[in-house]
């Protein structure tokens, strides 16, 4: 499972780079316009992804920022958000690279932002959620970009594996 999670971390960085590159070509009004995604705009959805990743990474590592609201806007400016995304993706890659099987299989306990309860589950299930959550909301970013008339993005894992991700094949 470690190899798979490390692959997902690399894929996550690649897919995020594709979305951010596409977002760089739209106007600020388009970036902030509500296009019907769960968080409305591309700006708010990309901020949500940063929020969620930071919350999970704080839970996993005990370090870093952990916003207290899932719809927090951490970055108003697109360039600052893009720079933070690159840093967070590298953090996820480094952390998954340092994991071992015992840690991955062990339980960990956390409290959701939305409820003041404790949840205990195996770390691997929460890590699976982290990557699935990214994919889910990147799909909404893709939808937002196509709703703005932009070309469709090839974000499938197989496209990563056939290009920058050849080491995982």
């Amino acid at each position: 499972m470690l190899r798979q999670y490390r692959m997902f971390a690399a894929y996550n960085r690649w897919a995020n780079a594709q979305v951010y590159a596409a977002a760089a070509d739209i106007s600020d009004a388009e970036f902030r316009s509500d296009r019907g995604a769960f968080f409305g705009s591309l700006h708010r959805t990309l901020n949500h992804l940063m929020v969620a990743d930071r919350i999970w990474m704080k839970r996993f590592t005990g370090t870093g920022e952990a916003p207290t609201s899932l719809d927090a806007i951490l970055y108003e400016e697109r360039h600052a958000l893009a720079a933070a995304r690159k840093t967070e993706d590298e953090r996820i890659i480094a952390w998954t690279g340092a994991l071992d099987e015992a840690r991955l299989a062990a339980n960990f306990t956390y409290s959701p932002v939305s409820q003041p309860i404790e949840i205990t589950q195996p770390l691997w299930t929460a890590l699976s959620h982290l990557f699935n959550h990214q994919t889910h909301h990147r799909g909404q970013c893709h939808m937002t970009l196509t709703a703005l008339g932009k070309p469709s993005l090839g974000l499938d894992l197989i496209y990563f594996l056939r290009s920058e991700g050849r080491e995982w094949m």
Side-chain angles (χ1 to χ4, degrees):
M1 288 180 72
L2 283 173
R3 183 165 167 77
Q4 181 172 346
Y5 289 122
R6 291 172 182 155
M7 177 193 67
F8 283 151
Y11 163 72
N12 187 60
R13 173 182 58 194
W14 175 85
N16 284 335
Q18 305 306 307
V19 170
Y20 276 84
D25 293 335
I26 62 175
S27 71
D28 194 59
E30 290 172 320
F31 185 65
R32 295 171 188 279
S33 68
D34 188 330
R35 296 295 172 156
F38 188 85
F39 288 92
S41 67
L42 195 54
H43 174 245
R44 296 183 66 76
T45 302
L46 292 173
N47 265 282
H48 168 70
L49 282 168
M50 181 65 68
V51 165
D53 283 359
R54 286 189 174 168
I55 290 169
W56 280 107
M57 289 302 290
K58 172 76 176 203
R59 290 171 183 162
F60 295 155
T61 68
T63 62
E65 300 175 39
T68 58
S69 173
L70 295 175
D71 62 353
I73 299 298
L74 301 178
Y75 298 93
E76 282 294 339
E77 299 303 320
R78 195 178 333 184
H79 68 278
L81 180 58
R85 175 77 268 159
K86 287 179 183 177
T87 299
E88 198 66 26
D89 287 344
E90 293 305 324
R91 180 179 180 215
I92 293 167
I93 288 170
W95 180 73
T96 57
L99 279 175
D100 60 35
E101 291 288 352
R103 174 94 192 278
L104 198 58
N107 283 342
F108 90 111
T109 301
Y110 66 95
S111 294
V113 170
S114 59
Q115 297 176 330
I117 61 172
E118 283 193 347
I119 295 176
T120 299
Q121 66 187 83
L123 180 62
W124 73 267
T125 61
L127 186 52
S128 294
H129 168 74
L130 174 87
F131 293 124
N132 186 62
H133 181 260
Q134 272 276 349
T135 299
H136 166 70
H137 284 295
R138 264 196 309 267
Q140 293 177 349
C141 293
H142 179 268
M143 177 277 306
T144 300
L145 287 163
T146 56
L148 291 167
K150 305 306 172 192
S152 183
L153 298 174
L155 297 175
D156 289 343
L157 176 64
I158 200 69
Y159 297 139
F160 165 70
L161 294 172
R162 291 175 185 164
S163 62
E164 293 177 29
R166 290 183 189 275
E167 71 183 271
W168 303 105
M169 303 225 338

